[in-house]
Amino acid sequence: MKQPVGELLAKKVQMSEADKAPKIMEVNQYIEDQLTQYKNLADSMPDDRNPDWEALEKAFRRMVTPE
């Protein structure tokens, strides 16, 4: 992966900020594979979000309420 990324960086150095370089399929495929892998990992984890916002709500009210 170092070689295609190095080639992309070399091209970008020669370009203006707004210019777009042609896609490098090897880099795109790597990114897509990594996104899929991390999505699958996240989907396999238990949902540990806390739906109870009461403690946060109390702290917020203490901060914004004048004494």
Side-chain angles (χ1 to χ4, degrees), residues 1-56:
M1 191 52 48
K2 287 183 180 183
Q3 182 180 353
V5 170
E7 292 170 9
L8 176 60
L9 291 174
K11 289 178 185 176
K12 291 297 281 181
V13 167
Q14 302 299 320
M15 303 166 70
S16 73
E17 185 69 28
D19 290 342
K20 293 183 179 179
K23 288 182 180 179
I24 299 175
M25 294 311 296
E26 185 178 359
V27 174
N28 279 11
Q29 187 62 52
Y30 175 79
I31 292 169
E32 288 179 19
D33 292 347
Q34 292 300 304
L35 288 173
T36 299
Q37 180 180 348
Y38 286 119
K39 181 181 183 331
N40 290 339
L41 177 63
D43 289 346
S44 72
M45 298 173 106
D47 185 355
D48 63 352
R49 291 177 287 187
N50 183 356
D52 182 9
W53 291 79
E54 188 60 34
L56 182 60

